[in-house]
Amino acid sequence: MVCALAAAVCFGTATVLQAVATREAGTGGGGEAALLLRALRQWRYLAGLALDGLGFLFQIAALRSIPIYAVGAALASSLAVTAVVAAQLLRVRLSGTEWAAVGVVCAGLAMLGLASGPEGDVAGSDALKWAMLATSVGMLVLALLGGRLSGRLRALVLGLGAGFGFGVVEVSVRLIDSLRPADLLTNPAAYALLIGGGAAFMLLTSALQRGSVTTATAGIVIGETIGPAAVGVIWLGDRTREGLTWLAALGFAVAVAGALALARFGEAPSTSDTGEPATVS
């Protein structure tokens, strides 16, 4: 659980840096890939990517020791980290309700930590590996065509797509049981991890730059928690400590609900022109 929380700290801090960078990248043409390339010219985005890389290493370590549902809820809690970082670095004044939401997230994670058992010992089937690859390709197509979407559902669709992409990464890590090059080249889950992760980053960049970021971030939280958690429980044998299933379910729900309450922090809040702390509306 420590590794999962460390990953949340890295991802949460990276969100602030990346959100600022994507806004500075502008709204020039060229589609989603061009937007990502413009963002990569921003030092804040590169710093965010470095933190994402470190967070990913922590995530892998966590997925190798605790169930996917616990890791997913911990990663969703990165929004609480983002809120706290924004309050410190960007001088954003959080409301009492938002501080309460941060506390709710922490309480949910504490319940999960107490109730989580070891990771499941069921080997993933070949069908599941191919399903992850198919899902990752679908998210890549959505990433490449996302710029053509319009209307109120755009941000939600992009956010859910990014969440599903990150969810594919979570599940794929568990489906890779050998790091030998020959085994990796023949394992569909390895390709799913790479394609799903790339598509998720493209969709995340687009979601942060376009439409309602609060809606998009809520979609990301839902996409990267519920689906992977279900896969872990149903197909990979993830379980709780004996007699504590109810506590794990409650902790998961509480942590995700708290994260959704903080969804607006998927976008880095801006400070006022006068230099005074920004207030929460």
Side-chain angles (χ1 to χ4, degrees):
M1 197 66 175
V2 172
C3 288
L5 294 176
V9 170
C10 291
F11 292 146
T13 305
T15 295
V16 176
L17 299 174
Q18 290 169 335
V20 172
T22 52
R23 292 293 180 176
E24 292 180 351
T27 57
E32 308 311 301
L35 173 61
L36 179 59
L37 290 176
R38 290 196 299 274
L40 286 171
R41 299 191 185 104
Q42 306 288 327
W43 72 266
R44 291 182 183 86
Y45 197 87
L46 294 176
L49 285 180
L51 284 173
D52 282 330
L54 180 59
F56 181 61
L57 295 179
F58 283 123
Q59 179 184 358
I60 291 176
L63 287 166
R64 292 294 185 180
S65 58
I66 61 176
I68 293 177
Y69 64 78
V71 177
L75 296 183
S77 75
S78 65
L79 288 175
V81 176
T82 300
V84 174
V85 170
Q88 297 298 318
L89 298 185
L90 300 179
R91 297 200 305 162
V92 175
R93 184 179 297 127
L94 302 186
S95 68
T97 300
E98 285 169 328
W99 278 118
V102 172
V104 165
V105 169
C106 294
L109 292 176
M111 287 186 278
L112 271 175
L114 290 172
S116 297
E119 67 168 328
D121 56 1
V122 177
S125 65
D126 289 340
L128 182 58
K129 296 175 182 178
W130 284 106
M132 290 300 102
L133 180 57
T135 302
S136 69
V137 171
M139 294 308 99
L140 180 60
V141 172
L142 177 61
L144 295 175
L145 300 179
R148 301 181 182 181
L149 297 174
S150 61
R152 296 181 178 180
L153 291 179
R154 177 176 182 168
L156 181 60
V157 170
L158 292 174
L160 281 172
F164 286 140
F166 290 128
V168 167
V169 171
E170 293 175 27
V171 175
S172 296
V173 168
R174 285 280 297 276
L175 296 176
I176 298 175
D177 50 13
S178 172
L179 297 180
R180 291 177 53 207
D183 293 331
L184 289 174
L185 289 174
T186 57
N187 189 342
Y191 299 99
L193 188 153
L194 295 175
I195 297 173
F201 271 113
M202 291 177 65
L203 286 162
L204 173 62
T205 301
S206 182
L208 289 174
Q209 203 273 340
R210 294 180 167 90
S212 169
V213 178
T214 299
T215 301
T217 306
I220 293 172
V221 170
I222 294 171
E224 74 176 350
T225 54
I226 297 177
V231 171
V233 171
I234 297 173
W235 286 290
L236 297 178
D238 286 347
R239 295 292 181 267
T240 65
R241 294 182 182 178
E242 187 174 356
L244 293 180
T245 300
W246 66 271
L247 185 61
L250 179 61
F252 180 87
V254 167
V256 172
L260 289 174
L262 294 166
R264 81 175 186 89
F265 286 98
E267 175 183 20
S270 59
T271 55
S272 63
D273 295 335
T274 62
E276 292 299 318
T279 58
V280 175
S281 58

